[in-house]
């Protein structure tokens, strides 16, 4: 029994390490955890100081930027009722990587209970820390116009 538990532990460690060694895979895993409302897993993808920024246009046509702590984002994901269906459909992954820094850009369309809500672009800035990629900055744009 101890051997079986040890092997399971090793598999989990190797699997989680492999996922964080690739910027694209980290973002894919982020969205899987997001859709599953897995707040424990979501916390593992980011640095403690991560803040999120959202860019949108207000009713007067002015660009607004809002900022929130990653911890607040994680709490908001946990508070979504289980009967609500949401999906952030990613259209593609654009990746720039250079040593310790990577940027992953993902155009998306967001659906809420099957209805198109908005669209935009996510920009993930990642840093390689002790061999693992972590999100250090996350910004998105949100619009209801020109959505695919």
């Amino acid at each position: 029994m101890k051997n079986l538990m040890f092997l399971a532990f090793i598999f989990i460690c190797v699997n989680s390490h492999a996922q964080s060694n690739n910027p694209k895979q980290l973002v894919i895993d982020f969205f899987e955890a997001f859709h599953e409302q897995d707040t424990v897993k979501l916390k593992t993808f980011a640095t403690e100081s991560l803040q999120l920024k959202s860019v949108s246009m207000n009713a007067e046509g002015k660009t607004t930027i809002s900022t929130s702590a990653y911890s607040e984002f994680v709490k908001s994901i946990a508070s979504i009722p289980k009967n609500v269906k949401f999906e952030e459909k990613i259209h593609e992954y654009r990746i720039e990587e250079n040593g310790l820094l990577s940027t992953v850009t993902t155009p998306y369309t967001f659906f809420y209970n099957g209805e198109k809500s908005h669209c935009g672009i996510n920009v993930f800035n990642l840093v390689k820390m002790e061999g693992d990629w972590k999100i250090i900055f996350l910004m998105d744009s949100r619009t209801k116009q020109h959505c695919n």
Side-chain angles (χ1 to χ4, degrees):
M1 181 68 165
K2 286 182 183 180
N3 288 339
L4 182 60
M5 289 178 61
F6 178 73
L7 288 174
F9 175 76
I10 294 297
F11 175 77
I12 290 168
C13 290
V14 168
N15 191 36
S16 67
H17 184 72
Q19 292 174 351
S20 61
N21 274 334
N22 178 321
K24 180 180 177 181
Q25 190 61 53
L26 176 80
V27 174
I28 290 170
D29 293 344
F30 170 88
F31 281 110
E32 284 179 5
F34 171 72
H35 292 125
E36 294 168 1
Q37 294 178 270
D38 187 340
T39 57
V40 173
K41 194 180 275 186
L42 280 171
K43 291 176 186 176
T44 67
F45 299 130
T47 59
E48 288 184 29
S49 61
L50 172 65
Q51 288 191 334
L52 288 82
K53 296 205 180 266
S54 290
V55 179
S56 59
M57 198 169 292
N58 66 17
E60 293 82 38
K62 295 188 180 199
T63 301
T64 62
I65 300 172
S66 62
T67 303
S68 61
Y70 189 67
S71 59
E72 293 302 313
F73 165 76
V74 171
K75 284 180 193 174
S76 73
I77 297 305
S79 70
I80 298 171
K82 296 296 180 194
N83 65 332
V84 170
K85 294 184 181 194
F86 63 97
E87 178 189 10
E88 188 154 335
K89 182 178 179 185
I90 304 302
H91 301 295
E92 71 176 296
Y93 296 84
R94 301 175 193 148
I95 302 158
E96 294 288 330
E97 182 183 338
N98 187 341
L100 298 176
L101 185 63
S102 181
T103 300
V104 180
T105 308
T106 60
Y108 73 91
T109 304
F110 190 85
F111 296 88
Y112 185 83
N113 282 331
E115 299 289 324
K116 191 181 298 182
S117 169
H118 61 276
C119 61
I121 296 176
N122 298 306
V123 179
F124 291 83
N125 290 127
L126 311 174
V127 66
K128 199 166 207 177
M129 300 176 68
E130 300 174 14
D132 292 327
W133 289 102
K134 296 287 184 181
I135 305 167
I136 58 169
F137 183 77
L138 178 52
M139 184 173 220
D140 70 85
S141 64
R142 298 177 189 183
T143 184
K144 292 186 182 283
Q145 301 172 354
H146 311 294
C147 294
N148 298 344

